[in-house]
Amino acid sequence: MIRRPPRSTLSSSSAASDVYKRQVYDVSGQGDEHYGPGGGYSFFAGIDGSAGFISGDFSAAGLHDQLDHLEPEQVVALFGWVQDTYEAKYRRVGVLAGTFYDSNGSPTSALTSLESRYREGLSFKAKRAALAEEFPGCDSKWTQTEGGQVSCTVHPTTKAKRYPRMVTVDNDRCGCALKASLADKRLKRFPKCATKEDDTCPT
């Protein structure tokens, strides 16, 4: 268990806490170039800069661990960053008492909530991947004379014709649907499509 010392006493090359569970990593040695004085990530050394990773605000005000506002997919991004960067490159040396761990090193309700949103985000990510396979993205173009258009090529294997549709369960993105799927309630025709079987639609 590591208790937070005054910020002024922290060495920029001694340790960096990860962004969501306040797990502390020793980044000395190979991390000196990045986390040492003057390094590109020196602002992460010795503090929990979770919120800054998402917001891009690396000022003192932006580097904090209050993450209740994060969407599940943003939490997945945070977990991925720690897994691919800190866990892959550095040695974990402890946890920091505070928001996510109590003074005994036990997880707090804040960590339980964050991990719940992580699982929710993974589930949503898997659903989006399945949708992307079922309804692949459309081709799009814009010209000054015709404006925006979306279109679909034929299925790469069966060569069956596909049609552009708004995928309502995926932020109304354009997806290519086979004829047999056009009645699917998750799909909506583009308002400016002349007919329901147009393979190119103005947007």
Side-chain angles (χ1 to χ4, degrees), residues 73 124-125 127-132 134-135 165-175 184-188:
E73 284 186 291
F124 185 65
K125 186 176 180 180
K127 289 177 181 177
R128 289 193 70 177
L131 282 170
E134 186 176 6
F135 305 118
R165 287 293 186 272
M166 297 169 69
V167 185
T168 61
V169 293
D170 196 3
N171 298 317
D172 283 347
R173 70 167 177 85
C174 184
D184 193 308
K185 292 182 179 180
R186 297 171 296 171
L187 304 177
K188 184 168 62 176

Side-chain angles (χ1 to χ4, degrees), residues 135-148:
F135 305 118
C138 307
D139 295 327
S140 62
K141 70 175 183 176
W142 185 92
T143 63
Q144 192 167 7
T145 55
E146 298 180 340

Side-chain angles (χ1 to χ4, degrees), residues 63-154:
L63 294 169
H64 58 82
D65 62 358
Q66 301 305 301
L67 307 179
D68 290 344
H69 64 289
L70 295 187
E71 296 295 328
E73 284 186 291
Q74 293 175 311
V75 176
V76 169
L78 286 174
F79 274 56
W81 179 38
V82 173
Q83 206 54 44
D84 297 339
T85 301
Y86 292 107
E87 287 288 342
K89 297 180 180 180
Y90 305 114
R91 182 171 62 92
R92 193 190 315 162
V93 295
V95 295
L96 189 64
T99 301
F100 299 114
Y101 289 95
D102 64 22
S103 59
N104 295 316
S106 299
T108 65
S109 59
L111 179 57
T112 301
S113 173
L114 196 68
E115 291 181 332
S116 176
R117 277 181 286 154
Y118 172 65
R119 291 189 293 272
E120 183 181 348
L122 286 179
S123 176
F124 185 65
K125 186 176 180 180
K127 289 177 181 177
R128 289 193 70 177
L131 282 170
E133 185 173 351
E134 186 176 6
F135 305 118
C138 307
D139 295 327
S140 62
K141 70 175 183 176
W142 185 92
T143 63
Q144 192 167 7
T145 55
E146 298 180 340
Q149 288 186 329
V150 289
S151 61
C152 290
T153 58
V154 297

Side-chain angles (χ1 to χ4, degrees), residues 134-135 160-163 165 176-187 196-197:
E134 186 176 6
F135 305 118
K161 191 174 180 180
R162 297 186 294 185
Y163 308 89
R165 287 293 186 272
C176 293
L178 295 169
K179 188 173 183 178
S181 301
L182 295 182
D184 193 308
K185 292 182 179 180
R186 297 171 296 171
L187 304 177
K196 66 180 182 179
E197 294 189 8

